[in-house]
């Protein structure tokens, strides 16, 4: 059975991890930084050494291409990102790009004829140093001028960073691939959780990336003397907010698993030892793989907020913030991942991704799915991030065979 060259892939991962290496054993290679530029140059040299075609686009995405005989054939993409969060790990992103490169090298060496072009791609700034997923959004044609102007790192920093990569806002906006030119996208990534490890399984077939609903709950009560006001006369906004939190947690656990909610910020006013809180604002975030269930979850939690507020004699209003739709994987590609894992004798399960990835940007325009492999203790985005060598190689082999199934080799 066809397999990747595991030693070569592991060596590549080690070599790349030297660029931006931190004392704690991690990697700091934020997008657009000088060391990101070094990482890109290293990737270029690896592509050139492989004899694959090197390609770049107006959004700074870098690719290795294995073209098939038919110039009009669609392109099957595999990849991830070479950038990291500050003080991040060695595998988040790099694994998917280098495994894709390795899969293409093996197919080139074996001279396997395919009916599609194969492209191993590294997307620009997945982690959002300046503008998250800018590379995949540009390729998918959903990057807007407003995105560039409201970049979280600032429009000026973005323009300067882009200049370092030899691109501009204009070239990024003109990067979209023509409709129908893509045959699919497969991304190998560490799980960044412990579900595979705990189940003793090697491969996760990702059925989708969760959608996110977020907003703020403003509980409005009445401030008053923290000592003289009798307990039963208080309209305490924080009591209502905390009552909501307890009820909401139970509701999500009992009725919306595997969905999750998070209240990560709380602002109380006037915020003093001896004053009853008149106002409490909670940040609320909900994640689930199904838009329908997210609708139900949002409705149920808002209902609970109103009930908690009414019980404590205060008012509540919800101010919606960012929303990101759920991105279901292609069932066909998920099955190919499962079939590939079966053929390789690897244990697998279906999983949802609760973190964002470039795959969620590609999913609406081309058949997409992700392959997860375990990372030790689920640790990610820190120097301790570790994907065991056998998991690196297992993941790359499943990627290779999923690509082969999607590419449907030409029968001579
Ligand atoms: Zn990643």
């Amino acid at each position: 059975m066809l397999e990747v060259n595991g030693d070569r892939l592991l060596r590549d991962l080690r070599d790349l991890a030297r660029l931006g290496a931190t004392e704690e054993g991690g990697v700091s290679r934020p997008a657009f930084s000088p060391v990101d530029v070094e990482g890109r140059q290293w990737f270029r040299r690896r592509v050139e050494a492989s004899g694959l075609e090197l390609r770049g686009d107006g959004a700074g995405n870098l690719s290795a291409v294995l073209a098939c005989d038919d110039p009009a054939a669609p392109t099957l993409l595999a990849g991830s990102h070479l950038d990291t969060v500050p003080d991040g790990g060695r595998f988040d992103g790099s694994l998917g790009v280098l495994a894709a490169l390795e899969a293409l090298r093996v197919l080139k060496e074996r001279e396997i004829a395919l009916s599609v072009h194969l492209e191993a791609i590294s997307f620009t700034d997945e982690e959002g140093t300046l503008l998250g997923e800018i590379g995949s959004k540009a390729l998918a044609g959903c990057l807007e001028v407003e995105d560039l102007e409201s970049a979280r790192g600032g429009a000026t920093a973005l323009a300067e960073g882009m200049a370092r990569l030899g691109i501009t806002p204009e070239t990024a906006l003109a990067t979209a691939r023509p409709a129908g030119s893509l045959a699919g996208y497969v991304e190998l990534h560490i799980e960044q959780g412990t579900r595979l490890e705990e189940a003793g399984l090697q491969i996760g077939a990702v059925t989708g990336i969760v959608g996110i609903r977020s907003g703020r709950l403003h509980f409005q009560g009445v401030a008053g003397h923290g000592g003289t006001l009798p307990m039963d006369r208080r309209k305490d906004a924080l009591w209502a907010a905390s009552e909501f939190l307890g009820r909401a947690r139970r509701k999500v656990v009992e009725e919306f698993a595997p969905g999750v909610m998070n209240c990560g910020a709380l602002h109380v006013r006037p915020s003093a030892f001896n004053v009853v809180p008149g106002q409490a604002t909670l940040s609320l975030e909900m994640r689930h793989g199904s838009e329908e269930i997210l609708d139900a979850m949002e409705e149920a939690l808002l209902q609970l907020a109103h009930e908690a507020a009414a019980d404590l004699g205060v008012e509540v209003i919800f101010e919606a913030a960012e929303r990101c739709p759920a991105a279901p994987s292609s069932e066909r590609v998920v099955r190919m991942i499962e079939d590939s894992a079966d053929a390789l004798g690897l244990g697998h399960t279906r999983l949802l991704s609760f973190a964002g990835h470039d795959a969620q940007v590609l999913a609406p325009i081309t058949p997409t799915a992700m392959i997860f492999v375990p990372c030790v203790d689920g640790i990610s985005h820190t120097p301790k991030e570790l994907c065991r060598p056998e998991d690196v190689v297992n993941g790359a082999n499943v990627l290779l065979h999923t690509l082969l199934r999607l590419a449907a080799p030409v029968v001579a």
Side-chain angles (χ1 to χ4, degrees), residues 80-81 92-93 126-127 187 189 192 356-357 381:
S80 195
H81 56 98
D92 179 355
E126 189 275 343
E127 297 288 7
E187 180 167 351
H189 206 280
Q192 302 176 293
H357 297 286
H381 280 193

Side-chain angles (χ1 to χ4, degrees), residues 236-299:
D236 185 322
L238 182 55
W239 284 354
S242 55
E243 188 67 34
F244 161 74
L245 265 181
R247 294 181 192 178
R249 187 185 66 81
R250 279 193 296 279
K251 187 87 170 172
V252 170
V253 170
E254 284 164 13
E255 293 178 29
F256 294 103
V260 295
M261 62 163 256
N262 188 50
C263 294
L266 171 65
H267 294 282
V268 179
R269 257 166 264 159
S271 199
F273 271 78
N274 54 359
V275 184
V276 172
Q279 287 175 16
T281 296
L282 261 189
S283 72
L284 174 64
E285 200 185 72
M286 298 158 268
R287 300 187 186 214
H288 199 287
S290 151
E291 283 294 307
E292 271 176 26
I293 297 177
L294 270 176
D295 286 341
M297 197 165 161
E298 184 174 353
E299 199 184 313

Side-chain angles (χ1 to χ4, degrees), residues 216-220 306 315-319:
R216 289 178 193 83
L217 282 167
H218 300 280
F219 290 88
Q220 180 71 50
H306 284 287
E315 306 281 323
V316 65
I317 53 168
F318 181 64
E319 176 202 355

